[in-house]
Amino acid sequence: MLDLKFIREHPGEVRRAAEVKGIALDVTELLQLDRELLELKARVEAMQAERNQNAKLVPKAAPDERPLLIQKGKDLGESLKALEPELRAHEDALKQLLLQVPQIPHPSVPVGRDDSENVELRREGAPTQFGFPPKDHVALLELHGWADPERVARVSGSRSYLLKGEAARLELAIIAFALDVLTERGFEMLSTTALVRPETFVASGHFPGGEDQVYKLEGLDLMLAGTAEVPINSLYAGEILPEDVLPLRYAGYSSAFRSEAGSAGRDVRGLIRVHEFKKVEQYVLMQADEAAALDMFAAMLENAETLLKLLELPYRVVQNCTGDMGAGKVLMYDIEAWVPSEGLYRETHSCSYLGDWQARRTGLRYKGSDGKVHFMHTLNNTGIATPRILVPFLENHQMENGQIRVPAALRGYLGGREVLGKAQ
Ligand SMILES: Nc1ncnc2c1ncn2[C@@H]1O[C@H](COS(=O)(=O)NC(=O)[C@@H](N)CO)[C@@H](O)[C@H]1O
């Protein structure tokens, strides 16, 4: 959501943002609706003023004039009542259109249609070289009896997973490790729910548009969030906070549920793309200061890079192009880790700055030192998401005897173990 005043004064910029983000939005229709609504409101106010004026005349009027004045007051009341539905319909139509207005992308964002036009910014760590034919993560899990895909599929269908023994322990170790690193860096840990009300998806910007990605619960006014971004974004919905509590930095741990509608056939084996996964989410609510927010963006990106460096995983950072960043983003970088079995970098993190686009939808405000009330700026980035991170982890750290090497930073979370699995 953008400020209506901004849209009125910069329709060209809004049109361009919609165009480069591939969003069908009729700005002309929106501004037409806006004008009609303003006219309607002016008419209603004029009639209310006239009715109030008229009501004042009644007690002072001569007895023979009073019935006329009272009738006039009734007629005005009726006409006002008749305008109500039209006013409501215009307000709802305008609100629906405003929810589709995209955020203006940062000038540095490359224009492109989809992720094939994202721009690689840099690589860290060279792709792992093996002195033996490396296995993919599915084979490694099977080798150690760390998964049971057939039985799980019988229980949960496709895109399900179950980790056994040391692999299950590894997942928890990586989550605890990520939470500790983020806590050390000033992020407050939250263990959040995934059960949220539908309006929280409108607030975060996932709706309208992402409805088919979300599992709904029969007969309940609750749905399953695909990221802790959704509940955390709405935690302070509608409130006005004092400026001195900002920035609020959270490391939100939760399950995440996604229907993956539209991904049929993609990543159907293994742990890359499943319906329920676990994620530690970096989420920040802060002052409306773009320079400070861009510094926070860099810090949140660096947090994720530090985690990958400590996990000793080769990765690259890409800047998302306009067609792959979504409506609400000012700026977005993905981090992609090296997956040897695919000979590709695969996305493991997504870092976004949204300005006040989410805050306007959610009603996230603070009282500034200038005494005025401002909408906050929000940012989010993945801290770590399992089981996807286990794909590059297992594959890059596999040894010729099939054991998995544990990076030094993680050993403390695995009872000091330096390798996982039995030598084959
Ligand atoms: N279906 C899925 N299965 C497993 N992991 C997933 C799935 N969808 C997303 N992820 C993981 O979650 C990360 C963040 O997902 S995201 O949609 O890109 N971005 C967000 O959710 C933001 N809130 C930042 O975390 C992805 O980079 C990926 O590592």
Side-chain angles (χ1 to χ4, degrees):
M1 185 100 99
L2 296 185
D3 181 353
L4 190 46
K5 187 169 171 297
F6 177 86
I7 301 171
R8 288 174 187 144
E9 293 167 4
H10 305 86
E13 267 193 74
V14 176
R15 272 195 194 90
R16 179 198 175 270
E19 198 181 305
V20 293
K21 289 188 173 183
I23 291 169
L25 173 79
D26 185 339
V27 177
T28 306
E29 181 195 356
L30 186 148
L31 292 174
Q32 174 62 25
L33 255 180
D34 173 42
R35 262 194 302 281
E36 286 169 9
L37 184 57
L38 288 172
E39 281 158 18
L40 258 177
K41 283 181 176 171
R43 273 174 57 198
V44 164
E45 274 155 29
M47 288 166 78
Q48 278 164 342
E50 192 185 350
R51 187 175 62 170
N52 295 345
Q53 201 51 40
N54 182 64
K56 283 193 192 109
L57 297 178
V58 173
K60 288 181 276 185
D64 60 340
E65 284 169 3
R66 205 163 289 173
L68 197 69
L69 286 170
I70 289 168
Q71 186 51 48
K72 189 171 177 215
K74 278 194 187 119
D75 294 347
L76 280 167
E78 286 306 311
S79 322
L80 274 168
K81 213 165 158 49
L83 275 179
E84 275 295 308
E86 192 184 349
L87 190 67
R88 197 71 52 243
H90 268 73
E91 281 170 345
D92 291 349
L94 183 59
K95 175 101 193 295
Q96 283 317 310
L97 274 178
L98 281 171
L99 286 173
Q100 295 167 44
V101 175
Q103 174 61 289
I104 311 297
H106 189 267
S108 69
V109 180
V111 175
R113 275 180 313 284
D114 56 38
D115 61 352
S116 67
E117 295 182 82
N118 291 347
V119 172
E120 177 177 305
L121 299 178
R122 56 191 146 81
R123 293 185 182 193
E124 299 291 339
T128 307
Q129 299 302 316
F130 298 92
F132 55 91
K135 292 180 175 61
D136 75 9
H137 76 282
V138 175
L140 288 165
L141 290 168
E142 193 175 328
L143 181 71
H144 296 291
W146 285 343
D148 194 344
E150 290 72 31
R151 288 196 177 86
V152 173
R154 281 204 290 275
V155 171
S156 305
S158 64
R159 296 194 188 285
S160 55
Y161 80 101
L162 165 138
L163 295 172
K164 291 167 80 169
E166 291 179 288
R169 191 70 192 73
L170 173 63
E171 181 179 61
L172 285 177
I174 288 178
I175 288 166
F177 161 69
L179 284 166
D180 280 354
V181 169
L182 291 174
T183 304
E184 282 154 27
R185 289 161 171 244
F187 282 66
E188 182 179 16
M189 181 179 163
L190 296 180
S191 175
T192 66
T193 173
L195 275 173
V196 293
R197 295 184 191 287
E199 56 269 22
T200 59
F201 290 98
V202 176
S204 63
H206 290 84
F207 294 178
E211 288 82 353
D212 65 348
Q213 296 301 317
V214 171
Y215 286 136
K216 296 154 184 73
L217 297 172
E218 176 95 26
L220 284 182
D221 187 33
L222 290 169
M223 300 178 174
L224 291 173
T227 168
E229 173 191 350
V230 175
I232 301 174
N233 174 63
S234 279
L235 217 49
Y236 296 92
E239 296 186 36
I240 299 179
L241 301 183
E243 181 166 11
D244 59 9
V245 302
L246 299 179
L248 288 167
R249 292 176 291 177
Y250 294 118
Y253 168 63
S254 79
S255 292
F257 297 84
R258 300 192 184 195
S259 72
E260 287 297 336
S263 303
R266 284 174 59 198
D267 309 312
V268 291
R269 279 174 83 240
L271 304 177
I272 284 270
R273 197 177 296 276
V274 293
H275 286 316
E276 176 187 3
F277 59 99
K278 310 283 191 302
K279 179 161 57 56
V280 174
E281 176 80 356
Q282 299 180 69
Y283 199 83
V284 174
L285 303 96
M286 65 180 289
Q287 295 87 327
D289 173 338
E290 175 157 313
L294 291 172
D295 289 345
M296 183 66 77
F297 179 91
M300 294 166 76
L301 186 72
E302 204 276 328
N303 292 342
E305 291 194 57
T306 298
L307 288 167
L308 287 175
K309 283 176 183 156
L310 289 170
L311 291 174
E312 299 174 22
L313 296 175
Y315 66 86
R316 69 174 188 167
V317 180
V318 300
Q319 177 165 21
N320 296 65
C321 72
T322 51
D324 185 47
M325 71 190 313
K329 315 297 176 64
V330 175
L331 190 64
M332 181 175 179
Y333 288 8
D334 281 351
I335 302 179
E336 303 175 346
W338 177 251
V339 177
S341 65
E342 296 185 29
L344 290 173
Y345 287 96
R346 293 303 303 267
E347 183 204 313
T348 53
H349 294 72
S350 204
C351 188
S352 297
Y353 167 44
L354 297 99
D356 62 12
W357 191 83
Q358 273 177 326
R360 286 180 182 280
R361 302 166 84 91
T362 314
L364 295 169
R365 293 176 295 167
Y366 69 95
K367 197 163 178 65
S369 46
D370 58 2
K372 292 195 189 118
V373 172
H374 303 268
F375 283 104
M376 296 178 196
H377 282 193
T378 60
L379 304 97
N380 67 75
N381 187 15
T382 315
I384 209 84
T386 67
R388 184 176 291 189
I389 197 67
L390 298 181
V391 174
F393 186 93
L394 294 172
E395 293 197 14
N396 283 290
H397 295 325
Q398 66 181 294
M399 297 155 71
E400 184 155 18
N401 66 5
Q403 287 183 303
I404 307 295
R405 199 173 49 78
V406 178
L410 204 56
R411 289 176 195 153
Y413 295 86
L414 287 163
R417 260 169 288 185
E418 297 184 14
V419 292
L420 296 176
K422 289 184 185 47
Q424 304 296 320

